[in-house]
């Protein structure tokens, strides 16, 4: 369940207050590249998210037995279970079907055009942090892109 859909007051990036308690948004980052996983996790943590990580779709499904994320960011090409297979599994379960999904793929992969079940796509080979900021702003009303920061 997206906390942002409830009536909360923003306290800090990634946090909301409900009945006087701060509640951080939870993200699951799924990527077989340690570098991409680290970059995305660090970016989200700096914005107040509680971040969990998995190295492939199967690992992500195991993590989902323990957590209920507000956002899932996944690579598409991974061993054991691809991002497409993970999305299929997520959409098949009522508990996970409505979680916003951002796919991370190479610009030349074409996944942003073929994978319509994700809410958004960002590219590994372009400034990933700026794209993540834009994705957070669009999906959750959180985050700040470099372009937004420069404009202020």
């Amino acid at each position: 369940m997206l906390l942002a859909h409830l009536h909360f007051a923003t306290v800090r990036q990634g946090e909301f207050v409900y009945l006087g308690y701060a509640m951080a948004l939870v993200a699951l980052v799924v990527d077989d590249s340690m570098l991409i996983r680290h970059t995305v996790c660090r970016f989200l943590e700096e914005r107040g998210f509680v971040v969990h990580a998995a190295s492939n779709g199967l690992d992500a499904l195991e993590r989902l037995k323990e957590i209920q994320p507000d956002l899932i960011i996944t690579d598409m090409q991974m061993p054991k279970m691809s991002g497409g297979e993970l999305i299929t599994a997520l959409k098949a379960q009522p508990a996970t079907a409505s979680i916003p999904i951002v796919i991370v793929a190479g610009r030349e992969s074409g996944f942003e055009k073929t994978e319509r079940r994700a809410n958004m796509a960002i590219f590994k080979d372009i400034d990933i942090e700026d794209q993540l900021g834009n994705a957070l702003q669009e999906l959750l009303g959180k985050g700040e892109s470099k372009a937004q920061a420069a404009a202020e």
Side-chain angles (χ1 to χ4, degrees):
M1 170 178 68
L2 258 180
L3 297 176
H5 285 294
L6 302 176
H7 298 286
F8 292 89
T10 302
V11 178
R12 286 177 280 184
Q13 289 183 338
E15 285 190 352
F16 296 91
V17 169
Y18 181 67
L19 298 177
Y21 296 100
M23 301 172 73
L25 293 174
V26 176
L28 176 60
V29 177
V30 188
D31 201 305
D32 59 323
S33 165
M34 188 182 304
L35 177 61
I36 297 294
R37 222 174 32 244
H38 174 76
T39 301
V40 174
C41 288
R42 181 182 45 81
F43 179 88
L44 294 170
E45 287 167 347
E46 288 173 353
R47 281 147 186 83
F49 284 78
V50 173
V51 182
H52 299 270
S55 60
N56 61 61
L58 285 177
D59 290 344
L61 292 177
E62 285 300 311
R63 295 303 313 246
L64 288 167
K65 293 177 182 176
E66 305 163 8
I67 64 167
Q68 179 67 34
D70 299 294
L71 175 69
I72 297 174
I73 300 175
T74 185
D75 186 14
M76 292 302 289
Q77 297 178 318
M78 298 178 287
K80 296 185 183 178
M81 178 185 268
S82 71
E85 293 168 323
L86 173 61
I87 293 170
T88 297
L90 294 170
K91 297 299 183 184
Q93 298 298 318
T96 57
S98 63
I99 299 172
I101 299 170
V102 176
I103 60 172
V104 180
R107 191 174 4 176
E108 301 299 320
S109 70
F111 283 116
E112 79 283 1
K113 294 175 185 164
T114 60
E115 183 49 75
R116 300 270 184 220
R117 299 169 298 169
N119 298 78
M120 184 169 258
I122 61 175
F123 302 111
K124 292 182 180 187
D125 42 1
I126 304 176
D127 183 354
I128 195 166
E129 290 185 353
D130 195 38
Q131 292 179 85
L132 282 169
N134 290 334
L136 292 181
Q137 186 64 41
E138 184 171 322
L139 295 174
L140 305 175
K142 308 275 13 113
E144 184 176 350
S145 69
K146 288 179 187 172
Q148 290 169 321
E152 294 177 350

